[in-house]
Amino acid sequence: MSSLENLDESRALELSRQCVASKLPFQALPGDDDDLVETGLLDSMGWVDVLISVESATDIRGFGDIWPEGRAKSIRALADMIREARRRVPGEKPGESFAAGAQGGPEVSIGAWGYALGAVTVSTDQIESECAIPPHKIRNGAGIRSLQVAADTEDELTLGQRAAEAALEMAEIPAERIDFLVATSTTFLNLPSFAASLHSRLLLRETSGALDVGGACVGLIYSLAVAKSLLRMSSEAVALVVASEVHSRRLNAPHVPGEFRGLFGDGACAFVLTRGQRNSLAAPADRGGHAAVRLGDFVWGCSATFASSLGAKWGGNAGLTVQFKGEQLAHAAVTQMERILEILENKSGRPRTEVDYFALHQPNPRVVEILAEKAKIPLGRIPLPSATGGNLGSATCGISLCQALTDLRARPNPPQPPLIFMAAVGPGLIWGGAFLN
Amino acid sequence: MVRFIPAPTSASPPHLEDQNTHGLLSAGGCVGEVELVDMLHKAEVSADLERLFGCELHTDTHGGNAWVDPGSATRSICGCEFKNIRFRVFQDAGEVTLRAKLVLQSGETLNSLPVVDREWRRFLSDLIHRSSESGVSPALEGFLNRSIWRKLMPVPYCFARIGLARGKQMEGKCWLMLDSLFPQPNAAWSDGL
C-alpha cells in the first residue's frame, strides 16, 4: 500500500532521485533531465533495476514495463511516469482492468475459483482393506465411492498451487495482482507456515501479504471472512484464499482409527476475491458470463457440548492420536449444520427453498444425505465432492462451492444473482457459515 | 559436443570457473537436453540460496534482484531445480529485457533475475518479431506466463543455472543472473501466438 496517491512534482522528483541514487552509490547524481542510459551512467540492466526500485517504492505495479518511445530515461521522466500512473487507478497496471471495478466499493465478491484433487484414485475395497474396516462399510455406510489421495509428488503446496493457478487463470490476472493471500491447512505443520510457503511457491510479489488461518474443516469459511474484512478495511483490491489438505499422509499413523482415516481424501480449493462489484469476473458477459457472486454475511460460533466427539493430538512417540466418536460426531454435525442454515435464512432474509446451492462441509456423503432429509433441502442442490474424493477437510465446502459456481456458470440462464449457503463444522465444535448472492 | 585445450587462466574470485581455451572445435555428436541436465546435476547444484554461491545473498529493494559480496562468494555459477517461474518483460524502443522470478526447492525465491540465456533471449526476440509480423500484439508477459509457462512447468527437469555478473569496480556487488534455463524453449511453443 502506498500513501503516494497525491504525489506532487517535487516529491515525485525526489523519489526518482533516490531510486536512481541507489543504483549509482559512488557517483554524483546526474541532472534531472540527463538520459541515464545514453550518457552511459546506467546500462539496460541498471535501468530495469531503477524501474523495479520505483515500483517497490510506489507500489505502482508494472511500472515502466513498456517505456514510451522517444521518452528520455531520465529522473524527470521517471517522476512524470510516477505521476501519470498515480493519476490512473492507483495500483492498477496499465491495460489491466481486473480490479477496475474494485475501487472503493464496500462489497466483496468471489471473482474466480479453482480446485485440485489428489491424483490417485483409491477404491473403497482398497480403503477397507488398508484400514482394516469391515467390507462395504465405507461405500454403504459412509456413501463414499472412492477417495482421491495425493501422489508421491503431491503435497499441500502442490495441490494449493494447482487450485490457485486455476483460479488465477479463470480470473485472467497474473499472480502479481494479488494483494494478499489468506491460507488454511490443518495437515501442513511446517514452518515456514502454509501461507508463507504457498506465497513463495506462487511467486506472489514481496509486498503482498501472507496470512494463515486455523479452523480445521471450517478453515475456508474463516479464511473467506478474514479476507473479506481485510479487503473492506484497506485499500487492497484483490485477495487470494486457499485451503489445502493432505490427510492421507498425516493420518497414516498407528494411533489413528482405520474407520476415521478411511474417510479422508486430499484436495485444495482457491478463490480470487475482489473489493467492489464487478460484472462477470469469471467470464465476461459477452462470453456468457454472469455477475460476480457477492460474499454476504458470515456467522460462526463454538458449541463445546459436542467437543469430545473429535480430538487429535500431535507429538510424543505415538505421533498423531485421534479420539473419534463416529456416531456422536455425525449427529453433532447434522444438528449444527442445520442450525447454521436456520441462522443463514434469518441473516439473508431468504428461505432455504430459494437457495440455489448449498456448499457444505461433508464428513461423508451419508451425513449430508441425513442433513438434506432433515433440513428438507433437495440433495441435488448440494454438490458432493466427498462422494468420489472423501472428506477433504477445509477444502470440502470450498470444492463444493467451486462445483456450484461452475454449474451456475454453465447454465444458459443462471439466477441473477444466485443464492448460495455455506456451512461447516470442525473439532470443538467450531462452526461457521456464510451466504453468497 | 566441443573439444578445447585449456589455457593458463588467472581467474579472480568469485569467477573461479572461468577458463581460457585454445580453440573451440566441434567434436561431433550432440547431447540431448535430458542428458545435459542430468550432467549439470552432477556439477555445482544447490537446493537453497545460501549454498548457491557459498555466501549470503543481499537485496536492495522488495522484488529486486539479489547480489553477493564478491569477496564472500566461493564460486560464480551454480545450478538449481525450481518449483515455479514467472517472467517479466521490460520493453522500450531500443531493447527488450527479460527478467525471471524463481522459487527454489527450499521455498526461497529469487526475484528479477536478468535472463541472459541465449536461447530464451532468441525465443523472446522471435516472439516479438512474429507478433509484429502477424499484427497480433498479445501482452507478451501474459503469453509467457500463461501459454509458455504451461508448456515449461510440466517438464520433469526444470533446472536453472544461476551465474554472477562481474561486479563493477566501485559498486562491490556481483548481481545474480539466469545463465541457463531448462527446458530450453521450443519454436513450436509460440504457435498459439
Side-chain angles (χ1 to χ4, degrees):
Chain A
M1 252 187 306
S2 171
S3 59
L4 301 169
E5 281 165 30
N6 299 313
L7 206 62
D8 63 22
E9 189 181 356
S10 64
R11 199 156 164 228
L13 271 171
E14 190 49 43
L15 199 135
S16 303
R17 287 185 197 120
Q18 283 169 13
C19 292
V20 171
S22 71
K23 289 301 299 175
L24 299 168
F26 302 104
Q27 281 169 290
L29 199 63
D32 289 344
D33 295 305
D34 291 347
D35 190 305
L36 301 164
V37 177
E38 273 190 7
T39 54
L41 286 166
L42 290 175
D43 56 16
S44 61
M45 234 180 240
W47 172 247
V48 168
D49 287 329
V50 168
L51 297 177
I52 289 168
S53 180
V54 173
E55 180 182 73
S56 170
T58 59
D59 207 23
I60 299 168
R61 309 242 229 286
F63 181 81
D65 275 6
I66 299 175
W67 193 256
E69 202 169 340
R71 181 172 278 192
K73 291 171 179 167
S74 65
I75 288 172
R76 190 176 306 282
L78 285 169
D80 290 345
M81 286 281 278
I82 294 170
R83 296 186 70 216
E84 284 164 25
R86 279 287 160 215
R87 279 195 288 270
R88 284 197 298 268
V89 180
E92 189 188 343
K93 183 173 171 174
E96 280 188 351
S97 60
F98 181 79
Q103 302 306 316
E107 297 192 336
V108 172
S109 303
I110 290 181
W113 56 91
Y115 69 91
L117 294 167
V120 179
T121 305
V122 184
S123 70
T124 47
D125 291 346
Q126 210 176 329
I127 305 160
E128 286 159 355
S129 157
E130 279 174 12
C131 298
I133 301 169
H136 313 303
K137 192 170 177 184
I138 293 282
R139 178 180 280 270
N140 299 339
I144 293 174
R145 299 199 294 276
S146 61
L147 293 183
Q148 292 300 137
V149 301
D152 288 345
T153 53
E154 293 176 324
D155 57 18
E156 291 88 347
L157 286 175
T158 53
L159 293 178
Q161 181 183 2
R162 260 169 48 207
E165 300 285 3
L168 291 171
E169 186 164 343
M170 180 187 278
E172 296 184 358
I173 56 163
E176 286 74 22
R177 293 290 297 120
I178 300 299
D179 293 316
F180 61 88
L181 164 71
V182 182
T184 185
S185 176
T186 311
T187 59
F188 187 95
L189 301 177
N190 307 344
L191 286 175
S193 71
F194 178 57
S197 303
L198 188 60
H199 184 286
S200 302
R201 182 63 69 92
L202 292 169
L203 291 169
L204 302 187
R205 61 173 207 278
E206 283 197 19
T207 52
S208 107
L211 176 66
D212 287 282
V213 169
C217 300
V218 199
L220 176 77
I221 292 180
Y222 287 177
S223 299
L224 289 170
V226 168
K228 179 184 170 182
S229 303
L230 290 174
L231 283 171
R232 292 182 70 171
M233 283 167 56
S234 69
S235 61
E236 310 283 26
V238 187
L240 177 65
V241 174
V242 179
S244 183
E245 308 287 7
V246 175
H247 298 102
S248 57
R249 240 160 261 156
R250 190 63 59 202
L251 298 180
N252 191 10
H255 294 280
V256 178
E259 63 267 30
F260 182 74
R261 176 156 59 104
L263 299 173
F264 285 85
D266 306 329
C269 59
F271 299 89
V272 177
L273 269 53
T274 58
R275 183 161 42 80
Q277 280 286 21
R278 183 189 149 90
N279 287 327
S280 318
L281 280 179
D286 60 358
R287 284 192 265 148
H290 55 81
V293 184
R294 186 183 72 93
L295 276 174
D297 287 352
F298 285 81
V299 297
W300 47 60
C302 182
S303 306
T305 316
F306 306 110
S308 67
S309 57
L310 177 60
K313 277 188 183 159
W314 277 274
N317 295 332
L320 174 67
T321 307
V322 170
Q323 183 195 3
F324 164 60
K325 299 172 188 168
E327 280 188 27
Q328 188 186 333
L329 183 61
H331 174 71
V334 169
T335 306
Q336 200 55 55
M337 285 209 282
E338 195 189 0
R339 284 182 194 159
I340 299 169
L341 298 181
E342 282 171 17
I343 299 170
L344 291 174
E345 284 181 310
N346 293 333
K347 280 263 180 192
S348 66
R350 307 271 297 274
R352 65 190 70 179
T353 50
E354 290 182 14
V355 174
D356 297 294
Y357 288 101
F358 296 86
L360 305 176
H361 176 57
Q362 298 162 21
N364 63 60
R366 192 69 67 221
V367 168
V368 180
E369 284 171 20
I370 295 167
L371 171 66
E373 196 179 324
K374 199 166 173 229
K376 295 185 171 52
I377 52 180
L379 204 51
R381 292 190 192 171
I382 310 172
L384 266 182
S386 61
T388 51
N391 181 343
L392 304 164
S394 64
T396 315
C397 68
I399 294 177
S400 186
L401 177 60
C402 289
Q403 292 177 345
L405 292 169
T406 303
D407 234 32
L408 277 167
R409 198 179 175 213
R411 282 201 205 173
N413 296 305
Q416 298 284 3
L419 179 62
I420 299 171
F421 280 5
M422 292 183 81
V425 294
L429 278 178
I430 50 171
W431 53 269
F435 68 86
L436 295 79
N437 59 13
Chain B
M1 284 190 280
V2 292
R3 189 193 309 271
F4 63 87
I5 301 162
T9 306
S10 58
S12 57
H15 294 85
L16 301 167
E17 302 83 359
D18 290 3
Q19 175 68 63
N20 292 337
T21 65
H22 290 304
L24 191 65
L25 298 168
S26 169
C30 187
V31 178
E33 189 168 90
V34 176
E35 198 183 346
L36 176 58
V37 173
D38 203 36
M39 286 173 177
L40 290 173
H41 267 288
K42 292 172 187 158
E44 317 83 351
V45 285
S46 172
D48 60 45
L49 292 187
E50 196 176 356
R51 277 176 283 188
L52 269 181
F53 302 108
C55 65
E56 199 182 342
L57 266 61
H58 308 271
T59 57
D60 293 340
T61 53
H62 283 302
N65 191 11
W67 53 270
V68 299
D69 172 4
S72 306
T74 54
R75 61 186 173 205
S76 65
I77 186 126
C78 187
C80 59
E81 288 182 18
F82 59 91
K83 294 287 185 185
N84 201 0
I85 187 167
R86 300 263 173 219
F87 295 102
R88 181 146 177 207
V89 181
F90 291 86
Q91 281 178 278
D92 63 43
E95 196 163 359
V96 177
T97 304
L98 183 62
R99 297 259 174 149
K101 188 175 179 183
L102 297 177
V103 56
L104 271 53
Q105 270 183 312
S106 62
E108 296 162 301
T109 54
L110 286 170
N111 292 309
S112 197
L113 284 168
V115 179
V116 296
D117 181 305
R118 194 179 57 174
E119 293 304 318
W120 274 95
R121 287 171 65 87
R122 187 180 292 167
F123 179 68
L124 181 69
S125 299
D126 287 350
L127 278 181
I128 294 165
H129 184 67
R130 283 184 64 164
S131 62
S132 65
E133 256 191 352
S134 65
V136 182
S137 180
L140 202 53
E141 207 170 281
F143 184 73
L144 285 169
N145 286 321
R146 286 189 190 149
S147 301
I148 302 304
W149 181 88
R150 275 198 289 267
K151 295 188 167 77
L152 194 153
M153 287 311 299
V155 172
Y157 51 86
C158 289
F159 189 78
R161 294 260 289 172
I162 312 293
L164 291 180
R166 289 183 181 278
K168 288 175 192 151
Q169 216 165 18
M170 292 292 282
E171 196 182 28
K173 296 174 181 176
C174 282
W175 294 91
L176 274 63
M177 55 190 179
L178 182 43
D179 279 0
S180 311
L181 175 61
F182 298 98
Q184 293 275 277
N186 181 330
W189 288 0
S190 58
D191 282 351
L193 195 63

